Amino acid sequence: VTKTTATVTEGNVATDTLTVTCTGAFTGGLTSGSVQYAITNLTNPGDIAAPALTGALNFPACGGATQSITISPRVNDSVVQGNKSGTFTISTAVAGTLGTPTTGTINVNDDDTPQTVTVAVGGSPATEAGGVLTYTFTRAGGNAAALAAPLTVNVTPPTTSARYSTTCAPTITFAGASPTASCTVTGINNAVADGNVNVVVAVAAPTVAGSYLVGTPSSATGVIADDEITVTVTPTGVIEGGVVTFAIACTGPAGASVTGLNFAVTPAQDAGAAPATPGMSGAVGTLTCGTPFVVSVPTFNDVIIGNTRSLTLTLSGTAVGSNNASVTVPTAAAVATVIDNDVPLIVPTMGAWGLGLMSLMLAGLVGFQRRRPSK
């Protein structure tokens, strides 16, 4: 077997020729001979357009006669397949024996270059009440024929969640000549304060190595924002005579607010000479998330020993969230401690040693008085 060219390229008019030569004379009294051939090791039989992958070569004469196999490369496509190689082998000689070499190599070059695929997300953060995250895949690079053809890309879709639905599947296909393809994630509303959720979509490696390249960024993270509102009350205790504060606040999406709440602080008798701000009870009004409503209560600085006590703020009413969002309000009352600063008067006492010393001193004083001369 001899071979004419080193390689051929898909879609090219150039072909590769493998020539099988019969030398000498036929044996066994036969006037003709033959060999079988097979083309193997090609990843895809379509890598060559002709000839058939198996067949026979017949020699009506020998003495240097030749039979040729013409290798026509696959038709030009837009798929990045990489260069492919196969092996041409002859076997089973009739009216003769096999010489050497009995093989030849077929090389088919790919003329397509891989495209690079990236992904980005738009619309983040999206509200859980039907907000939409759009994941856009973009392809670039590669030759013009490849960019003009459809391209199917593997995708790592978002994990399954009750918080959203998605059109993002394990594969996504670019339409011919389209530089982008997209899929979406849509939030599902609930009445649970369960926080924001991150939704990750990524470009996965190709099934056929080299059919496209995974670019940067290879993944995109969108956020489905929780639209529920949570109200909290944070008490701050003081030493008596100071000012107790209760900070009423809410957390939720940007611009969220709560109305319909009332507050009351008890017991009222502990309020100091200065009035509480905005009072010991009243309406919270419109509570804007991010801006706390603060109740300040001055306390008496009394002279009662051991008078540590507490102030309690209780919320009431029906909380209404903006945009019909559900509101979670603490059920327990908030308690602030007022610490007593009075201490008992300490009277010094003598132990046995002190009393003994005092007795000696008194006895000495009495003796001294007796020894004094009278006038």
Side-chain angles (χ1 to χ4, degrees):
V1 178
T2 58
K3 187 168 181 291
T4 303
T5 59
T7 61
V8 291
T9 301
E10 70 173 29
N12 200 311
V13 294
T15 58
D16 193 1
T17 302
L18 293 130
T19 302
V20 180
T21 304
C22 180
T23 58
F26 295 125
T27 61
L30 299 175
T31 58
S32 64
S34 66
V35 292
Q36 299 294 315
Y37 78 86
I39 298 173
T40 57
N41 299 333
L42 290 171
T43 304
N44 182 351
D47 286 330
I48 59 174
L53 297 182
T54 60
L57 297 177
N58 298 309
F59 290 87
C62 198
T66 59
Q67 293 291 329
S68 296
I69 290 288
T70 299
I71 304 298
S72 298
R74 61 175 176 256
V75 296
N76 198 14
D77 57 26
S78 302
V79 181
V80 179
Q81 297 158 305
N83 299 336
K84 302 296 179 65
S85 295
T87 302
F88 175 88
T89 305
I90 58 172
S91 64
T92 316
V94 175
T97 58
L98 295 176
T100 56
T102 57
T103 62
T105 301
I106 302 167
N107 296 309
V108 182
N109 288 347
D110 190 8
D111 67 352
D112 300 300
T113 53
Q115 304 161 66
T116 299
V117 181
T118 58
V119 63
V121 62
S124 181
T127 176
E128 68 176 23
V132 178
L133 299 172
T134 301
Y135 294 84
T136 301
F137 298 82
T138 301
R139 59 172 172 169
N143 59 313
L147 288 171
L151 174 67
T152 298
V153 172
N154 292 335
V155 172
T156 302
T159 56
T160 302
S161 173
R163 300 288 303 280
Y164 51 77
S165 62
T166 182
T167 64
C168 297
T171 61
I172 193 167
T173 300
F174 291 82
S178 175
T180 60
S182 63
C183 63
T184 59
V185 171
T186 303
I188 297 176
N189 201 14
N190 60 26
V192 181
D194 43 12
N196 298 343
V197 60
N198 293 333
V199 186
V200 181
V201 176
V203 182
T207 302
V208 177
S211 57
Y212 62 84
L213 301 177
V214 178
T216 302
S218 60
S219 66
T221 302
V223 177
I224 298 293
D226 187 16
D227 65 357
E228 273 66 49
I229 300 171
T230 301
V231 176
T232 58
V233 181
T234 304
T236 302
V238 294
I239 296 174
E240 64 179 3
V243 178
V244 166
T245 59
F246 296 91
I248 304 171
C250 67
T251 57
S257 61
V258 178
T259 58
L261 289 175
N262 302 311
F263 74 93
V265 180
T266 56
Q269 65 268 23
D270 198 60
T277 305
M280 296 296 285
S281 63
V284 175
T286 299
L287 179 63
T288 301
C289 294
T291 304
F293 177 87
V294 179
V295 178
S296 300
V297 184
T299 62
F300 281 111
N301 187 6
D302 57 30
V303 293
I304 302 173
I305 297 172
N307 188 28
T308 293
R309 63 271 192 198
S310 62
L311 290 171
T312 302
L313 183 141
T314 304
L315 291 176
S316 62
T318 301
V320 178
S322 55
N323 298 320
N324 296 318
S326 63
V327 181
T328 300
V329 180
T331 54
V335 178
T337 301
V338 181
I339 301 173
D340 181 36
N341 65 354
D342 300 299
V343 294
L345 179 63
I346 299 176
V347 178
T349 60
M350 292 185 181
W353 185 88
L355 289 173
L357 180 60
M358 181 63 72
S359 297
L360 289 174
M361 292 175 64
L362 290 175
L365 180 60
V366 170
F368 175 76
Q369 289 292 341
R370 287 178 178 173
R371 289 193 299 269
R372 291 181 63 188
S374 59
K375 294 182 180 180

